[in-house]
Amino acid sequence: MNNALAQADHAVETLRAQRQDDYYPQFHLAPAAGWINDPNGLVYINGVYHAFYQHHPYDENWGPMHWGHAISRDLAHWQHQPIALAPGDDYDKDGCFSGCAVDDNGVLTLIYTGHVWLDKVGDDDQVREVQCLATSEDGVHFVKHGPVLAPPEGIQHFRDPKVWRENDGWWMVVGAKQNGLGQARLYRSKDLRSWQFDRVLDGAQTLHQGYMWECPDFFPLGEKQVLLFSPQGLAAQGYRHRNRFQSGYLLGHWQPGADFNVTQPFCELDAGHDFYAPQTFTAADGRRLLFAWMDMWESPMPSKAHGWAGALTLPRELTLNAEGDVLMNPARELAALRGLPQRFAAAQLRNQRQLLAENLQELTLSLDLAASDAERYGIAIGDAARLYVDNQAHRLVLERFSEEPGLCGCRSVPLPAGDTLSLRVFIDRSSLEVFVNQGVACLTSRIYPTDGRRGVSLFAESGQAQFEALQGWELASIWA
Ligand code: FRU
């Protein structure tokens, strides 16, 4: 076996032996040890789901990027695999950056960015980025075939290819930076090896729309076409764009060979603190599913002290409702992790906090907005977070608490129309994912409870609140 891969696998095993699990997820994909960021190469092929990810196997910080690998037969239970790609060839000397996977007539094929620092390590102004190919016969070991697409003159960044098959050909969207502005570039190919430029699908007109568009993805959803991407450099506007970088989408219409006609401007996909670089894939039955990195660049990550950093979100299904909104809901396969349902009586609270259960990983409830007049009401997760209706701001707020100031504060979404707010909440050892009214909004944040205390309480401050349809589950581990 390739020496760089064997060394990297050995490094993960060594770190794994020292890993502490206080914050280690029970039901989210995370590295066995070391660092991960973006999900890569999400694909269903030959009866197996593959999830690759940006991985630094040598320690808990970002470094020369490898591709870690995990597989699943049911999208609920996962197994770590040997590391799939290690950097080291002249074209990917400093990193195998993000990319995708396709099923090329049964051959698992990866298309990724080979990254090289031309001057100092970390100097983003001096980089060479090319799109590279690797294939596997057994779904575990990969043969690199080198670069298949280099950027034209004048492109400063060029990375994160996402490839799909359409009619009799292959298409690729790539994130780029040209003249200091982000863009999504479209290419076409007959054989995955030779690529022709088609057009710029869309790009920033001003710096306010981003200096670089990372991790683009382009796919149909219902009657619409979605351009999903992660722009860097958007300024915060009120409640929007609060994180270091954003992830969201443009909606429009597209036919192969034509321009992308945008009908709806940029909209963030998740309103929490920790959601970046999402990538979609097609499930065995054709549903459009997505994973994202459940962290944010430059955020404090307390799990580093425990020998690992980074996790992926739950797999989520994307759909379009009749109003043309993109909905995001947990993949239905996750129900396989549920223990017996625990039902709780409806509760009316007035200026009170009441423990509901000590150990739930999934909880559904609805709040009767018409029958509640408390200024703030909702649930608390130990001392780590609260999820509540702010009756003055008319928003649903996710607030997290920590001794680390960089991990405190609120993210929120407007209350949806109607009298019922229905919430589906997933609580892992260091994360909270909230799905609002069947997916019209989502909030995803990392949380770090003290001593693992994640008991769920209901509360109502300065008034009364009506809680209904309370049901909870313990979830099994995803690790086989
Ligand atoms: C997004 C990103 C990608 C790049 C990768 C490097 O988080 O910056 O653009 O390929 O991470 O790890």
Side-chain angles (χ1 to χ4, degrees):
M1 200 223 278
N2 175 314
N3 205 18
L5 289 172
Q7 265 179 26
D9 279 327
H10 180 70
V12 176
E13 269 169 46
T14 310
L15 278 180
R16 166 75 187 89
Q18 303 151 15
R19 192 185 81 199
Q20 285 167 253
D21 286 349
D22 316 39
Y23 297 138
Y24 195 76
Q26 229 179 295
F27 56 94
H28 287 85
L29 276 171
W35 162 278
I36 75 167
N37 52 287
D38 314 354
N40 292 158
L42 307 174
V43 70
Y44 178 73
I45 177 172
N46 303 327
V48 177
Y49 286 100
H50 295 257
F52 300 84
Y53 43 82
Q54 289 285 281
H55 187 25
H56 187 228
Y58 290 94
D59 68 48
E60 65 282 2
N61 296 298
W62 190 85
M65 283 290 109
H66 295 58
W67 274 38
H69 186 193
I71 57 167
S72 173
R73 292 203 168 264
D74 62 2
L75 264 186
H77 301 89
W78 292 84
Q79 272 176 298
H80 283 122
Q81 296 292 291
I83 289 175
L85 297 174
D89 290 286
D90 55 351
Y91 51 85
D92 65 10
K93 188 166 69 66
D94 298 318
C96 299
F97 274 18
S98 284
C100 62
V102 293
D103 178 346
D104 184 15
N105 291 315
V107 178
L108 174 55
T109 302
L110 310 182
I111 303 102
Y112 69 97
T113 299
H115 179 88
V116 175
W117 303 114
L118 293 173
D119 191 11
K120 287 193 234 21
V121 171
D123 179 356
D124 257 347
D125 292 330
Q126 308 282 338
V127 300
R128 189 174 69 228
E129 294 183 321
V130 293
Q131 314 321 324
C132 307
L133 200 85
T135 56
S136 175
E137 292 298 329
D138 62 1
V140 182
H141 304 97
F142 290 82
V143 177
K144 286 184 185 175
H145 301 285
V148 292
L149 177 63
E153 276 298 304
I155 298 284
Q156 296 146 301
H157 289 196
F158 188 58
R159 60 176 176 268
D160 311 336
K162 180 77 189 326
V163 176
W164 71 98
R165 196 200 286 273
E166 181 115 15
N167 304 331
D168 60 342
W170 296 99
W171 295 81
M172 179 200 291
V173 60
V174 189
K177 173 178 179 177
Q178 186 173 33
N179 300 324
L181 296 174
Q183 60 179 214
R185 299 174 69 82
L186 186 65
Y187 291 82
R188 62 208 295 178
S189 170
K190 288 277 173 228
D191 58 5
L192 292 173
R193 269 97 183 143
S194 147
W195 291 91
Q196 286 82 45
F197 177 62
D198 185 73
R199 69 194 68 221
V200 173
L201 272 179
D202 202 23
Q205 303 303 314
T206 70
L207 258 189
H208 300 296
Q209 293 168 320
Y211 58 80
M212 168 64 192
W213 287 13
E214 297 192 308
C215 302
D217 196 345
F218 195 53
F219 53 90
L221 194 66
E223 301 295 298
K224 296 272 174 67
Q225 184 78 16
V226 181
L227 177 61
L228 178 67
F229 59 105
S230 296
Q232 295 178 293
L234 305 195
Q237 294 173 355
Y239 291 109
R240 296 163 61 217
H241 310 166
R242 300 303 314 183
N243 295 334
R244 178 73 185 96
F245 300 129
Q246 279 58 51
S247 291
Y249 58 88
L250 301 168
L251 285 182
H253 299 284
W254 178 75
Q255 289 295 324
D259 285 342
F260 176 43
N261 173 19
V262 178
T263 55
Q264 188 191 294
F266 184 75
C267 181
E268 279 177 278
L269 192 53
D270 187 294
H273 294 88
D274 294 288
F275 182 91
Y276 196 63
Q279 184 179 97
T280 72
F281 61 108
T282 311
D285 62 1
R287 279 168 299 148
R288 178 64 56 171
L289 302 183
L290 167 150
F291 280 100
W293 179 35
M294 190 163 60
D295 285 285
M296 185 50 59
W297 288 113
E298 298 168 32
S299 277
M301 297 180 188
S303 73
K304 284 188 178 179
H306 299 174
W308 67 280
L312 304 187
T313 63
L314 291 174
R316 300 167 178 195
E317 179 178 355
L318 294 181
T319 51
L320 202 69
N321 70 9
E323 289 77 47
D325 307 315
V326 174
L327 307 183
M328 189 157 66
N329 281 294
R332 65 178 76 114
E333 284 85 346
L334 294 169
L337 300 174
R338 284 174 170 175
L340 293 176
Q342 304 175 38
R343 293 196 178 81
F344 305 93
Q348 195 175 67
L349 265 61
R350 169 175 287 279
N351 302 333
Q352 246 177 304
R353 174 167 165 147
Q354 175 184 304
L355 181 70
L356 186 72
E358 285 291 358
N359 188 34
L360 292 178
Q361 281 84 50
E362 183 183 349
L363 171 69
T364 56
L365 69 154
S366 53
L367 297 170
D368 185 334
L369 302 180
S372 303
D373 64 5
E375 285 185 9
R376 288 178 172 180
Y377 56 100
I379 62 171
I381 316 299
D383 59 3
R386 305 206 300 177
L387 176 69
Y388 58 84
V389 171
D390 180 328
N391 225 339
Q392 298 173 73
H394 266 268
R395 297 183 73 86
L396 175 70
V397 180
L398 188 169
E399 180 171 20
R400 61 181 181 177
F401 305 92
S402 169
E403 282 174 9
E404 164 65 65
L407 287 171
C408 295
C410 298
R411 291 290 180 272
S412 66
V413 293
L415 291 180
D419 287 340
T420 305
L421 181 67
S422 80
L423 301 173
R424 187 162 171 204
V425 182
F426 289 85
I427 308 159
D428 206 339
R429 290 200 184 115
S430 58
S431 64
L432 193 59
E433 276 160 295
V434 182
F435 299 87
V436 184
N437 281 19
Q438 286 73 46
V440 294
C442 296
L443 296 130
T444 301
S445 296
R446 299 299 300 272
I447 57 170
Y448 297 93
T450 314
D451 300 329
R453 286 201 300 268
R454 285 173 288 136
V456 177
S457 308
L458 311 179
F459 73 89
E461 292 175 357
S462 298
Q464 159 179 309
Q466 181 71 30
F467 297 82
E468 280 162 5
L470 289 151
Q471 199 172 354
W473 294 265
E474 290 183 25
L475 300 184
S477 167
I478 60 167
W479 302 109

